[in-house]
Amino acid sequence: MKLPTTDALAARARAALDRIGAAVPEGTGLAARSPITGEDLFGLRPSSPAETAAAIGAAAEAFTAWRTTPAPVRGNLVRVLGELLRAHQDDLAELITVEAGKIRSEALGEVQEMIDICEFAVGLSRQLYGRTIASERPGHRLAETWHPLGVVGVISAFNFPAAVWSWNTAVALVCGDAVVWKPSELTPLVAIGASHLLDRAIAEVDAPRDVHRLVLGGRDVGERLVDDPRVALVSATGSTRMGRAVGPRVAARFGRSLLELGGNNASVVAPSADLDLALRAVVFGAVGTAGQRCTTLRRLIIHRDVADEFVTRLANAYAGLPIGDPFDDRTLVGPLISGTATDAMAQALDKAVAEGGELVCGGERLAPTYVRPAIVRMPHQNGIVREETFAPILYVLTYDAFGEAVALHNDVPQGLSSSIFTRDQGEAERFLASDGSDCGIANVNIGTSGAEIGGAFGGEKETGGGRESGSDAWRAYMRRATNTVNYSGTLTLAQNVSFL
């Protein structure tokens, strides 16, 4: 496997940042690293506790001016950001490939997602609708209005190092909030590049300079956002374990949290399914981003009548997957984020076999951070199948009756994304019904990965319950006020109460 050198990757990263215009805060304490070689590119200086506190304070001060800026004017900031993202799409994609290991088309797709959410948010800036409510009292108007919330702390993960930030930030900014971003310590260069583009947009439209601040570092920096009472909302993306720590700590100070946590996503393949369509969707869902999406397909629940044929075709497709340098346009499977991730995959496969699983194909470690995607047929859904391993492992389970498939699908702690492949309309509708899939995302004849920004993104159960991106997800970033206006000239109490 021929891969670029670490020096070449460092040069590519520096060149991309230079084109963006961003300076690198070099130092010690934090390393920019590439999973392509598994080696450090160069050292960075993390934010100190004092700097993190100052960033939060500056954002809180900027909020006092930003919240009274008209929403369409706030939208103009996001419009300019979208234009800069479009101009530097290749540069940000370059950084994403260097630091997250995504293949070129997926890296470009992530930046396109950022552009898309900016366009969505600009339109949203003129649609932050309240409502008028019928009052029971004559001469009264009852209404509901929405107001900016405050400082939003965004804690993002390595697998979508820029897109998840943009989902939160574009919407939060048009809602009138200030943002403090703590990116994954595994992808600081992407954050430096994206944040600088927003700094340029802020300067161009003369918005408050500190309406967005970037802080770099590890868990300790994130904890300061979690615990600071000046941070009104903490939007955190990561593991369920992380969510168990963040949620109670934010709640203890009566703050808000928006949690996007683990997924153990499944697709049901019914006997009537278009198997050609299902095959392509399953391969991308299970293998895209080297199995490191929160929406990655991890469980395939397939009808017994078509299971053997489909698994054989699936294994043949896996055998032809090009694995290697993500900068090579022919590559479809890049690296896992670290050697620790490859170790976790090996341990999960060992557990699966020990629990009665049959390794159909894959699982070999090809380099310190490279693996061959694996398919494992499982006799039951216990043990390791109920856990999320952030790696390209697809567990295959069979069913006989549709109700059994739905029960298997729902019988895991997580509830993010789901899909069914069927040409039976009744099965499709049952899967989407209230007693069907229990996930936040439920699809028909398309895979579990690749959500559009127009719909709210998020899941149920141990996935955290948060919603980001489109639809009415904007409400999480605002506070609601119920207003009663009495223009009657007399005081009429509700519920016919008589007093004085």
Side-chain angles (χ1 to χ4, degrees):
M1 184 185 299
K2 186 176 181 180
L3 299 172
T5 66
T6 299
D7 286 345
L9 292 168
R12 294 186 82 142
R14 288 185 185 278
L17 288 168
D18 284 345
R19 290 190 295 271
I20 288 170
V24 178
E26 296 196 48
T28 59
L30 181 66
R33 187 177 182 84
S34 177
I36 298 172
T37 61
E39 296 176 348
D40 291 353
L41 304 175
F42 41 80
L44 300 173
R45 184 178 61 81
S47 302
S48 68
E51 288 171 329
T52 303
I56 296 170
E61 180 64 27
F63 168 70
T64 62
W66 191 238
R67 64 185 173 184
T68 58
T69 301
V73 177
R74 301 192 299 247
N76 189 47
L77 168 60
V78 176
R79 180 191 62 80
V80 174
L81 172 61
E83 291 174 353
L84 289 170
L85 289 170
R86 195 179 296 278
H88 291 280
Q89 185 169 12
D90 287 343
D91 300 323
L92 271 183
E94 188 96 341
L95 293 169
I96 290 168
T97 297
V98 168
E99 278 198 306
K102 286 190 177 183
I103 64 172
R104 186 67 175 166
S105 68
E106 288 196 73
L108 287 167
E110 177 166 353
V111 186
Q112 184 61 50
E113 194 167 3
M114 301 171 75
I115 296 165
D116 293 345
I117 194 63
C118 286
E119 292 180 351
F120 177 90
V122 171
L124 178 65
S125 69
R126 295 180 181 271
Q127 299 179 77
L128 300 172
Y129 298 138
R131 65 178 68 188
T132 300
I133 304 166
S135 174
E136 67 186 58
R137 291 172 285 187
H140 286 64
R141 179 168 61 83
L142 185 60
E144 190 176 82
T145 51
W146 292 86
H147 300 292
L149 181 62
V151 176
V152 175
V154 177
I155 301 173
S156 59
F158 77 86
N159 59 330
F160 278 86
V164 170
W165 165 76
S166 69
W167 291 358
N168 284 278
T169 301
V171 174
L173 288 174
V174 300
C175 288
D177 301 326
V179 176
V180 179
W181 181 20
K182 188 276 176 194
S184 168
E185 59 269 33
L186 300 175
T187 52
L189 300 183
V190 176
I192 290 168
S195 181
H196 184 74
L197 291 178
L198 179 51
D199 288 344
R200 287 173 56 182
I202 288 169
E204 183 171 330
V205 303
D206 198 28
R209 186 186 65 178
D210 295 314
V211 77
H212 180 266
R213 293 293 300 266
L214 174 68
V215 291
L216 299 178
R219 178 174 176 171
D220 58 324
V221 177
E223 287 176 337
R224 291 187 178 92
L225 289 180
V226 168
D227 293 335
D228 197 308
R230 295 172 295 181
V231 179
L233 170 68
V234 175
S235 177
T237 302
S239 67
T240 298
R241 178 181 57 81
M242 180 270 287
R244 290 190 196 283
V246 169
R249 287 174 68 162
V250 176
R253 60 174 179 82
F254 298 100
R256 296 191 197 178
S257 59
L258 192 164
L259 301 177
E260 296 285 358
L261 310 176
N264 192 354
N265 315 295
S267 287
V268 175
V269 178
S272 67
D274 179 335
L275 296 185
D276 291 333
L277 183 151
L279 182 71
R280 292 186 64 199
V282 167
V283 172
F284 172 69
V287 174
T289 321
Q292 298 172 113
R293 292 185 177 216
C294 53
T295 54
T296 289
L297 177 61
R298 310 207 180 278
R299 297 177 295 133
L300 182 66
I301 302 169
I302 185 165
H303 195 276
R304 196 177 304 277
D305 289 351
V306 294
D308 290 344
E309 173 194 352
F310 192 80
V311 171
T312 298
R313 293 181 61 186
L314 196 58
N316 290 336
Y318 270 45
L321 290 171
I323 303 170
D325 179 5
F327 283 107
D328 186 331
D329 289 339
R330 296 167 295 182
T331 297
L332 293 179
V333 184
L336 293 184
I337 192 64
S338 66
T340 301
T342 58
D343 291 342
M345 178 174 175
Q347 292 164 10
L349 289 173
D350 288 344
K351 288 182 182 179
V353 172
E355 292 170 4
E358 174 197 349
L359 181 62
V360 176
C361 67
E364 304 93 337
R365 185 179 301 206
L366 307 177
T369 53
Y370 282 84
V371 295
R372 196 174 297 282
I375 301 171
V376 187
R377 294 192 73 159
M378 296 298 294
H380 49 68
Q381 187 168 264
N382 295 323
I384 193 64
V385 184
R386 295 173 58 80
E387 300 176 15
E388 180 190 39
T389 302
F390 226 55
I393 302 174
L394 180 63
Y395 299 112
V396 180
L397 301 145
T398 56
Y399 76 95
D400 294 300
F402 182 75
E404 180 188 0
V406 174
L408 272 172
H409 176 278
N410 293 347
D411 188 28
V412 293
Q414 309 86 355
L416 178 53
S417 188
S418 62
S419 74
I420 185 171
F421 295 91
T422 181
R423 285 181 282 202
D424 182 321
Q425 184 176 356
E427 286 185 335
E429 294 294 340
R430 288 167 64 192
F431 188 76
L432 302 181
S434 58
D435 57 350
S437 166
D438 63 359
C439 291
I441 300 169
N443 300 328
V444 175
N445 291 330
I446 194 168
T448 57
S449 271
E452 299 179 32
I453 58 90
F457 181 91
E460 302 301 321
K461 301 189 293 188
E462 288 189 0
T463 301
R467 293 297 186 274
E468 295 172 334
S469 191
S471 185
D472 65 348
W474 61 270
R475 296 186 178 198
Y477 304 88
M478 304 196 81
R479 61 179 179 85
R480 184 193 323 235
T482 301
N483 316 126
T484 302
V485 178
N486 177 9
Y487 58 91
S488 69
T490 61
L491 183 66
T492 305
L493 300 181
Q495 292 88 45
N496 296 317
V497 171
S498 178
F499 197 86
L500 288 181

